């Protein structure tokens, strides 16, 4: 049976969003994988607050307000047709899900799992940070 590759070697090759990399790289590479996930999730929320200028909101309510398809503060596209509206709403749900399924449990429990799963969560959070960066006010 072949040994599985060390997730740290793959992690070093990821092109993580700078906001995520700044808080997650050292933690992950030092073996604090789930602390890195939690730090990355908090960084994503803070990035949305900064870009939207809505530091009065947090969590799922922040994501639902900022990325609403009806009156978004940040738009992921031109919202010119149903496909655009669906993408906007889907992005909102992805960000809302990241808060509910990744950040919130990380703040209330001690998540456990494989290094591989932690790296996948960080990759997802990085992708979402790139989407936030690309969105327009």
């Amino acid at each position: 049976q072949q040994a599985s590759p060390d997730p740290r070697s793959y992690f070093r090759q990821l092109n993580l969003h700078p906001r995520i990399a700044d808080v997650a790289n050292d933690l992950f590479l030092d073996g604090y994988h789930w602390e890195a996930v939690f730090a990355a999730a908090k960084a994503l929320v803070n990035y949305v607050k900064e870009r939207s200028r809505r530091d009065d909101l947090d969590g799922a309510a922040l994501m639902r307000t900022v990325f609403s398809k009806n009156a978004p503060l940040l738009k992921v596209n031109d919202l010119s047709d149903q496909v655009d509206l669906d993408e906007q709403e889907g992005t909102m749900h992805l960000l809302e899900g990241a808060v509910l399924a990744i950040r919130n449990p990380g703040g209330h429990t001690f998540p456990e799992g494989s290094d591989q799963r932690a790296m996948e969560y960080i990759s997802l959070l990085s992708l979402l940070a790139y989407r936030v960066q690309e969105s327009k006010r």
Side-chain angles (χ1 to χ4, degrees), residues 14 17 24 35 51 59 66-67 84 99 111 114 122-124 128:
L14 296 175
H17 187 277
E35 290 85 348
R51 293 266 358 262
V66 171
F67 289 95
D84 283 0
V99 168
S114 69
I122 292 167
S123 295
L124 171 63
L128 293 173

Side-chain angles (χ1 to χ4, degrees), residues 49 53-58:
K49 287 180 179 186
R53 300 182 189 134
R54 287 301 303 261
D55 59 358
D56 59 317
L57 294 172
D58 190 46

Side-chain angles (χ1 to χ4, degrees), residues 38 110 124:
F38 185 48
F110 296 101
L124 171 63

Side-chain angles (χ1 to χ4, degrees), residues 13-61:
Q13 297 174 34
L14 296 175
N15 183 24
L16 296 176
H17 187 277
R19 291 296 186 89
I20 303 303
D22 285 349
V23 300
N25 275 356
D26 289 345
L27 285 169
F28 189 91
L29 294 172
D30 288 343
Y32 299 101
H33 306 115
W34 292 97
E35 290 85 348
V37 171
F38 185 48
K42 291 188 295 184
L44 176 63
V45 170
N46 289 335
Y47 190 38
V48 171
K49 287 180 179 186
E50 178 185 311
R51 293 266 358 262
S52 67
R53 300 182 189 134
R54 287 301 303 261
D55 59 358
D56 59 317
L57 294 172
D58 190 46

